[in-house]
Amino acid sequence: MLIATTILFLTFGVFGLYGYSLKGLYTFSTISWTFIVSTILFFALFKNTRRKILTAFLLTPLVVLSILTLILGQLVYEQKIDETNKITVTTGGFLACGEIINITQTKFGLFDKQVFHIGDLCLIGITKIETIKLDDKHAEFLIYHNGKMDSENPYKYDVERKNGW
């Protein structure tokens, strides 16, 4: 089980670096939790050997990475814009000003490919995003948030669509 979850975690982690994420709110977090639990069970149940110590050196950075991805990249909000595009909101990192908004498209039936990234708005507590206008060259959104970092609520955001987005 540890080998399977390690391979899944590494594979989908590398896909995440290239903008591909698994569909669903809890899919990657379920894989991460399964990886963490199977690693803890491996260290708790098996006898100490040289092979286990070598495995500990390899798995410890991956466990730290999986914990960080669980804390930093949580999906907070998800909504369809149209039949091919979806808008998602994830939590930012330690030094992020606010939450991160991504526009994704479904690829290969299993993944959401990030096609547009908005990370500089400094909005926290996003509860709803309405699409006002969506055509081939322009998109307008109303972003409802808690109003702590920006007093304009809802925040109006305009996007120039280039290369399909």
Side-chain angles (χ1 to χ4, degrees):
M1 185 170 147
L2 178 61
I3 294 170
T5 57
T6 304
I7 291 170
L8 284 173
F9 178 74
L10 286 174
T11 302
F12 295 127
V14 169
F15 283 156
L17 292 175
Y18 292 103
Y20 289 94
S21 63
L22 286 168
K23 291 180 100 177
L25 289 172
Y26 304 111
T27 311
F28 189 69
S29 59
T30 302
I31 292 171
S32 296
W33 276 112
T34 308
F35 171 69
I36 291 170
V37 169
S38 64
T39 303
I40 291 171
L41 287 175
F42 173 74
F43 290 130
L45 296 178
F46 290 99
K47 186 176 159 183
N48 286 341
T49 62
R50 287 185 182 178
R51 187 175 187 184
K52 183 177 175 184
I53 293 171
L54 178 64
T55 306
F57 282 119
L58 296 174
L59 290 180
T60 302
L62 290 178
V63 170
V64 171
L65 182 65
S66 65
I67 291 170
L68 287 175
T69 58
L70 286 172
I71 293 171
L72 301 180
Q74 292 181 347
L75 190 61
V76 178
Y77 178 81
E78 182 176 74
Q79 179 183 347
K80 284 191 163 234
I81 298 173
D82 57 13
E83 61 276 347
T84 59
N85 298 310
K86 185 172 30 173
I87 192 161
T88 60
V89 177
T90 58
T91 56
F94 291 121
L95 299 176
C97 181
E99 295 173 336
I100 299 168
I101 301 171
N102 293 313
I103 297 175
T104 61
Q105 293 178 343
T106 301
K107 298 286 184 181
F108 311 118
L110 186 64
F111 296 100
D112 287 331
K113 170 71 173 146
Q114 177 182 323
V115 293
F116 191 75
H117 176 81
I118 308 165
D120 58 348
L121 292 183
C122 292
L123 300 177
I124 297 175
I126 296 173
T127 56
K128 183 180 176 184
I129 299 176
E130 287 182 8
T131 305
I132 297 174
K133 181 181 177 184
L134 182 66
D135 57 24
D136 293 339
K137 296 182 182 186
H138 189 73
E140 283 185 36
F141 300 105
L142 284 179
I143 304 170
Y144 295 89
H145 57 95
N146 66 2
K148 288 184 181 176
M149 300 293 277
D150 193 339
S151 61
E152 183 182 352
N153 197 6
Y155 184 84
K156 186 176 181 181
Y157 189 74
D158 297 326
V159 178
E160 290 276 335
R161 292 183 71 179
K162 299 175 185 174
N163 302 331
W165 239 108

